[in-house]
Amino acid sequence: MSIWEYANPVKFMQTSGRLLPWVVAATVLTLLPGLVWGFFFTPIAAEFGATVKVIYVHVPAATLAINIWVMMLVASLIWLIRRHHVSALAAKAAAPIGMVMTLIALITGAFWGQPMWGTWWEWDPRLTSFLILFLFYLGYMALWEAIENPDTAADLTGVLCLVGSVFAVLSRYAAIFWNQGLHQGSTLSLDKEEHIADVYWQPLVLSIAGFGMLFVALLLLRTRTEIRARRLKALEQRERMA
């Protein structure tokens, strides 16, 4: 058995149909307990007050915002090299999810920043790179809609994905690249001085897992929808030519 078998739309639809109920169940069993535990059963931090609890949405959303673009990059490279349509459609399906996660990260970051920094927005390297990443998501989606030929659209959005990957990397490592800005270091770190206390860390890990499973569930649903839409469009074109 080869992994490329799942690039076949029929095989993908069969496999994803079997996996989807399990992924949805895993999402509920991780995301709901993680958020309830984090918001209602963790103490208020001495330095940050109740604002600390925004991390249970902000950190998972920000993590996904970057990693979804990486996933789109991998899927786009598979399309550009091997011309598997499912990979191109998976990248297309992931883009709106990544855009929403980036927006959530920006909004929740503003709610953190206002009481902590005294401002809703600062042209901090990490914040600025996240804003640019959000614009790349919008541009990627707009490019898909602007080009009628799906293969040409997949080619051009794949190239755009390569360019946008620079800002995905900057969004993750901007605080390291530039020793300035208001944004603090990583919430989860091997450095004990940066790493948050276990009382906050445990529900956060559960929330991150829940957000990750939510992405997988939405990705499977949206990719299945894109495959059906492509089939429908092909049938409509055949009817016009008949």
Side-chain angles (χ1 to χ4, degrees), residues 36-54:
V36 172
W37 184 2
F39 280 109
F40 298 105
F41 295 98
T42 55
I44 294 175
E47 296 181 2
F48 307 112
T51 311
V52 70
K53 299 193 178 187
V54 78

Side-chain angles (χ1 to χ4, degrees), residues 173-189:
Y173 296 106
I176 299 175
F177 293 154
W178 294 284
N179 188 22
Q180 59 180 345
L182 296 176
H183 200 288
Q184 69 276 9
S186 300
T187 303
L188 299 178
S189 173

Side-chain angles (χ1 to χ4, degrees), residues 1-25:
M1 181 180 291
S2 170
I3 190 173
W4 301 116
E5 291 182 18
Y6 297 96
N8 180 285
V10 175
K11 181 71 172 179
F12 177 84
M13 292 294 284
Q14 292 173 347
T15 305
S16 62
R18 291 194 295 267
L19 286 177
L20 197 53
W22 295 97
V23 176
V24 171

Side-chain angles (χ1 to χ4, degrees), residues 18-223:
R18 291 194 295 267
L19 286 177
L20 197 53
W22 295 97
V23 176
V24 171
T27 301
V28 174
L29 291 175
T30 51
L31 184 58
L32 187 60
L35 292 178
V36 172
W37 184 2
F39 280 109
F40 298 105
F41 295 98
T42 55
I44 294 175
E47 296 181 2
F48 307 112
T51 311
V52 70
K53 299 193 178 187
V54 78
I55 64 172
Y56 299 112
V57 175
H58 177 75
V59 173
T63 301
L64 275 181
I66 299 168
N67 289 319
I68 288 173
W69 191 274
V70 174
M71 170 262 153
M72 290 165 54
L73 171 63
V74 173
S76 296
L77 288 174
I78 292 173
W79 161 254
L80 292 172
I81 296 171
R82 300 188 65 100
R83 312 304 284 183
H84 289 313
H85 287 95
V86 171
S87 62
L89 295 178
K92 180 183 179 182
I97 309 171
M99 182 271 293
V100 171
M101 291 298 169
T102 309
L103 184 61
I104 291 173
L106 288 169
I107 292 173
T108 53
F111 278 102
W112 168 272
Q114 204 285 325
M116 294 298 104
W117 307 334
T119 179
W120 293 97
W121 178 261
E122 178 69 26
W123 293 102
D124 175 275
R126 185 174 289 186
L127 273 64
T128 304
S129 57
F130 247 88
L131 178 60
I132 296 174
L133 180 62
F134 174 72
L135 296 177
F136 263 97
Y137 271 118
L138 292 180
Y140 180 94
M141 293 161 58
L143 190 57
W144 263 107
E145 296 300 323
I147 301 173
E148 185 174 353
N149 186 294
D151 288 355
T152 303
D155 288 337
L156 294 178
T157 53
V159 174
L160 179 63
C161 209
L162 286 170
V163 177
S165 298
V166 175
F167 292 95
V169 172
L170 290 178
S171 298
R172 173 63 182 87
Y173 296 106
I176 299 175
F177 293 154
W178 294 284
N179 188 22
Q180 59 180 345
L182 296 176
H183 200 288
Q184 69 276 9
S186 300
T187 303
L188 299 178
S189 173
L190 295 176
D191 188 340
K192 292 183 178 181
E193 293 183 0
E194 291 187 10
H195 193 77
I196 60 173
D198 287 348
V199 68
Y200 302 108
W201 172 80
Q202 293 165 349
L204 178 57
V205 170
L206 198 56
S207 294
I208 292 174
F211 268 80
M213 296 308 298
L214 176 63
F215 164 65
V216 174
L218 292 175
L219 178 64
L220 291 177
L221 281 170
R222 287 189 49 78
T223 304

